[in-house]
Amino acid sequence: NLAPGQPKVLRYLNEQKRECLTKDITKGCDIEPATVSIMLNKLESNGFIKGTIVRNKRNVYIQLTELGKITFLKWQAYLDEREDITLRDFSKEERKQFINYLERLYDALLKEE
């Protein structure tokens, strides 16, 4: 029940272990604010997150619900399984190298923007 990009937001919220502002999610996930807003609305309507309005009613703290945590953990288990299958013929060292190459490519693309 997750749309593209939503697992990234769930991962970010799970890693933070605290409530986050929308701007934190935008920066932490490297996603445009309008896109994050749409994602958060869908995640909230599906029960994966909840928002708490604070003081000036312009800031909303977002946190995972229990359903969101369970959904993220299931998604992560699925990814781990896919990774094990995909990289089954790679040694531990080759896996580390492969991940390193992907991270370097990602960093290079970010610098280009």
Side-chain angles (χ1 to χ4, degrees), residues 45-61:
S45 70
N46 287 329
F48 298 135
I49 64 168
K50 66 179 179 179
T52 306
I53 299 174
V54 292
R55 282 175 276 163
N56 60 12
K57 297 187 181 186
R58 291 182 9 198
N59 288 323
V60 177
Y61 282 103

Side-chain angles (χ1 to χ4, degrees), residues 69-87:
K69 290 175 187 175
I70 291 167
T71 302
F72 169 73
L73 293 174
K74 284 181 180 179
W75 175 253
Q76 189 60 54
Y78 170 78
L79 289 181
D80 291 344
E81 180 185 326
R82 303 289 359 139
E83 182 178 306
D84 285 344
I85 291 168
T86 305
L87 300 177

Side-chain angles (χ1 to χ4, degrees), residues 2 10-11 19 22 25 41-42 44-45 49 52 55 62-63 65-66 71 75-76 85 90 103-104:
L2 294 173
L10 294 181
R11 173 182 288 120
E19 298 175 322
T22 305
I25 297 167
N41 287 336
K42 289 180 182 178
E44 187 171 32
S45 70
I49 64 168
T52 306
R55 282 175 276 163
I62 309 295
Q63 66 182 27
T65 62
E66 280 306 309
T71 302
W75 175 253
Q76 189 60 54
I85 291 168
F90 288 63
E103 288 172 350
R104 287 172 50 195

Side-chain angles (χ1 to χ4, degrees), residues 87-101:
L87 300 177
R88 69 179 161 254
D89 294 332
F90 288 63
S91 69
K92 275 189 172 183
E93 186 57 39
E94 289 171 326
R95 285 182 184 214
K96 286 179 186 176
Q97 279 183 312
F98 179 69
I99 297 300
N100 180 266
Y101 293 147

